[in-house]
């Protein structure tokens, strides 16, 4: 007998199919959903925002935790299903649905409506936009209380790895610039439907305390780091040669002239950026 709560069954009841272009892989493991919701609740002082509620499995657990919740869903086909399932919390204004694209949704405007001007972000991120949402989260750190994301395992490893690791790169630096990321636990591909080709992981991102936040232009910093990792195998002095002679700056940081980008910590990238700004 088919499970009436399984996403495949729910979609078939409405003559719908998951959209590959939206990265729709629905998490079916209720225990994992519960654990993530509990973590979100512990780090939410006012409201939470869920990216891509889909059929509402995670949304249900978040609401059960008593959270005030906003959800952002791009797939217009799923809105009537969500409105029907959550008619009561919608009527009670515990839940608000937004038909929007997570990549362009105005987090700042929503945060500024709250007493703390902070929100907690969460969701099962589509693989094709996960990196962008992670960078956006870090960039808007002053309005984010915490973030809990389910992402592709390889993305999680890149986000959370320290410098000196082969997975360390542009995404690692940009996400770690304003906060600390760590993997909470892994989720096998078989816990999703449709089953993706790769496993996933739940990550937690917490912003650094205000006094530890670097005073830096994010766009300018990102440009430097992107250039530094453009050719990973090259020495950093050669990769950044277009910006001038890097050897004096590297020596000031106590780094060898043969150092490569993956060997610099986030803090060293920040210091290098400040040196180049002063030099300019």
């Amino acid at each position: 007998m088919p499970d009436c709560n399984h996403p495949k069954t729910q979609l078939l009841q409405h003559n719908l199919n998951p959209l590959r272009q939206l990265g729709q892989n629905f998490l079916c493991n209720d225990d994992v959903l519960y654990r993530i919701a509990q973590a979100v609740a512990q780090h939410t002082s006012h409201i939470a925002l869920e990216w891509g509620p889909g059929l509402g499995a995670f949304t249900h657990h978040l609401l059960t935790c008593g959270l005030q919740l906003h959800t952002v869903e791009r797939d217009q086909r799923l809105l009537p299903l969500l409105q029907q399932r959550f008619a009561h919390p919608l009527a009670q204004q515990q839940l608000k649905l937004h038909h929007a694209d997570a990549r362009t949704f105005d987090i700042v405007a929503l945060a500024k409506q709250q007493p703390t001007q902070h929100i907690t972000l969460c969701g099962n991120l589509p693989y094709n936009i996960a990196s962008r949402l992670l960078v956006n989260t870090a960039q808007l750190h002053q309005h984010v209380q915490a973030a809990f994301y389910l992402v592709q395992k390889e993305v999680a490893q890149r986000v959370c790895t320290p410098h000196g690791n082969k997975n360390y790169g542009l995404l690692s630096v940009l996400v770690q610039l304003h906060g600390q990321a760590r993997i909470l636990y892994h989720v096998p591909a078989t816990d999703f439907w449709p089953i993706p080709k790769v496993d996933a992981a739940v990550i937690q991102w917490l912003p650094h305390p205000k006094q530890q936040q670097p005073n830096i232009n994010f766009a300018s910093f990102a440009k430097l780091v992107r250039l530094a990792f453009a050719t990973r195998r090259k020495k950093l002095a050669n990769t950044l040669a277009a910006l001038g002679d890097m050897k004096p700056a590297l020596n000031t940081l106590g780094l060898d002239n043969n150092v490569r980008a993956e060997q610099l910590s986030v803090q060293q990238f920040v210091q290098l950026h400040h040196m180049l700004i002063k030099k300019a």
Side-chain angles (χ1 to χ4, degrees):
M1 183 175 179
D3 182 358
C4 62
N5 292 320
H6 194 280
K8 182 178 181 179
T9 304
Q10 294 184 60
L11 289 174
L12 285 175
Q13 289 175 346
H14 297 275
N15 297 315
L16 298 175
N17 292 307
L19 297 179
R20 180 177 295 180
Q21 63 268 35
L22 295 184
Q24 290 180 337
N25 297 93
F26 303 94
L27 180 60
C28 307
N29 189 321
D30 210 50
D31 290 336
V32 173
L33 292 168
Y34 172 80
R35 289 173 66 188
I36 305 173
Q38 289 293 311
V40 172
Q42 291 172 10
H43 288 81
T44 303
S45 59
H46 194 64
I47 67 162
L49 184 148
E50 178 192 4
W51 301 121
L55 295 168
F58 185 37
T59 310
H60 165 75
H61 285 285
L62 293 168
L63 292 172
T64 301
C65 289
L67 293 173
Q68 289 293 123
L69 183 64
H70 288 250
T71 62
V72 176
E73 178 56 61
R74 183 181 175 188
D75 189 351
Q76 189 170 8
R77 306 174 307 158
L78 302 182
L79 295 181
L81 281 66
L82 292 167
Q83 290 166 346
Q84 180 180 3
R85 179 173 184 176
F86 300 112
H88 181 69
L90 283 167
Q92 297 297 314
Q93 297 186 343
Q94 182 188 0
L95 171 66
K96 182 173 178 60
L97 301 178
H98 300 270
H99 177 220
D101 189 328
R103 295 170 296 182
T104 56
F105 185 80
D106 194 344
I107 298 175
V108 175
L110 179 60
K112 287 185 175 180
Q113 296 173 19
Q114 315 311 317
T116 62
Q117 298 203 356
H118 286 79
I119 55 178
T120 298
L121 305 176
C122 58
N124 176 13
L125 302 188
Y127 293 167
N128 55 343
I129 63 170
S131 294
R132 179 167 176 176
L133 292 183
L134 283 160
V135 173
N136 287 351
T137 298
Q139 189 172 3
L140 299 175
H141 62 94
Q142 65 270 35
H143 295 293
V144 178
Q145 184 170 352
F148 294 86
Y149 292 146
L150 183 59
V151 298
Q152 185 177 349
K153 181 180 176 181
E154 288 76 6
V155 172
Q157 291 172 335
R158 288 164 55 201
V159 166
C160 301
T161 192
H163 67 283
N165 187 287
K166 66 178 182 178
N167 293 316
Y168 184 76
L170 174 64
L171 184 61
S172 318
V173 176
L174 296 186
V175 175
Q176 294 176 30
L177 174 66
H178 291 297
Q180 182 180 20
R182 67 185 183 101
I183 295 176
L184 297 183
Y185 38 87
H186 295 93
V187 183
T190 51
D191 279 357
F192 295 85
W193 183 85
I195 300 176
K197 296 180 180 179
V198 295
D199 292 334
V202 177
I203 63 172
Q204 171 188 279
W205 183 88
L206 299 176
H208 296 313
K210 187 174 181 179
Q211 63 273 19
Q212 295 180 19
Q213 291 289 353
N215 181 18
I216 201 166
N217 180 286
F218 191 89
S220 174
F221 179 78
K223 184 177 180 180
L224 168 67
V225 180
R226 186 174 291 109
L227 181 60
F229 282 100
T231 49
R232 294 181 63 98
R233 294 185 179 182
K234 282 189 176 182
K235 300 173 184 177
L236 190 60
N238 295 334
T239 305
L240 300 180
L243 304 179
D245 184 5
M246 291 293 107
K247 293 179 181 179
L250 294 176
N251 292 338
T252 300
L253 293 175
L255 298 169
D256 187 271
N257 293 334
N258 296 321
V259 70
R260 289 175 171 78
E262 67 188 43
Q263 296 173 274
L264 269 68
S265 68
V266 175
Q267 184 57 37
Q268 286 172 323
F269 269 115
V270 171
Q271 293 172 333
L272 180 60
H273 181 267
H274 286 323
M275 289 180 189
L276 294 177
I277 293 295
K278 291 179 180 179
K279 183 179 176 181

